[in-house]
Amino acid sequence: DRTALVFYDEGGREATFSFRQSDDGGRSWAKRRQVPGVLLGAALTRDRLVALLQSGDEEGDRAGPFYSIYPRTTFERTWSGDLADPELGLAHPRQLVALGEVVYVFGTDKEGALRVARLSDDG
């Protein structure tokens, strides 16, 4: 697989980031795609991209950290999950890690203790 992804912030006032895809190892690049949210991290598996995001609108529907899943065939968002569930205890999600086809988010709770959660397509 020679797919390459480049993520970047265009520096505007809106809480968005962009990415571009290359399927030939960086020789040619597809048109940029702009995505709402502030990118905190990303993990790539064989079949999908999982992005850890922070809403730019703290008063809106997606206040706080959340994750989105994009199939690698289309890179169109198919699922978004909220990380604000008190049972998760992930007050400060920090890093995504892909182990095979499973993606985990690492972070800390309000007291600073390490917390880990497995992310899935169904919450």
Side-chain angles (χ1 to χ4, degrees):
D1 184 15
R2 298 185 44 86
T3 300
L5 296 169
V6 175
F7 299 91
Y8 55 95
D9 180 352
E10 295 180 358
R13 290 181 169 247
E14 293 181 29
T16 62
F17 69 95
S18 297
F19 72 92
R20 294 181 72 183
Q21 174 185 351
S22 172
D23 290 325
D24 59 9
R27 290 190 185 102
S28 61
W29 294 90
K31 184 178 169 183
R32 79 171 170 89
R33 295 184 189 205
Q34 193 171 37
V35 180
V38 176
L39 182 65
L40 301 175
L44 193 61
T45 69
R46 181 183 55 211
D47 298 326
R48 61 191 175 151
L49 166 71
V50 180
L52 179 60
L53 303 158
Q54 175 73 39
S55 172
D57 179 12
E58 290 301 317
E59 303 300 321
D61 293 338
R62 287 267 179 235
F66 64 101
Y67 67 99
S68 292
I69 297 175
Y70 305 83
R72 286 183 67 171
T73 54
T74 63
F75 286 106
E76 297 295 330
R77 186 184 316 213
T78 60
W79 171 264
S80 286
D82 194 355
L83 295 173
D85 184 343
E87 288 186 31
L88 286 177
L90 269 166
H92 307 287
R94 302 277 189 230
Q95 184 69 40
L96 290 181
V97 174
L99 298 173
E101 291 302 304
V102 179
V103 177
Y104 296 91
V105 59
F106 288 78
T108 57
D109 63 15
K110 290 180 182 179
E111 289 77 38
L114 180 65
R115 302 291 291 184
V116 179
R118 179 181 177 172
L119 302 182
S120 67
D121 296 357
D122 61 0

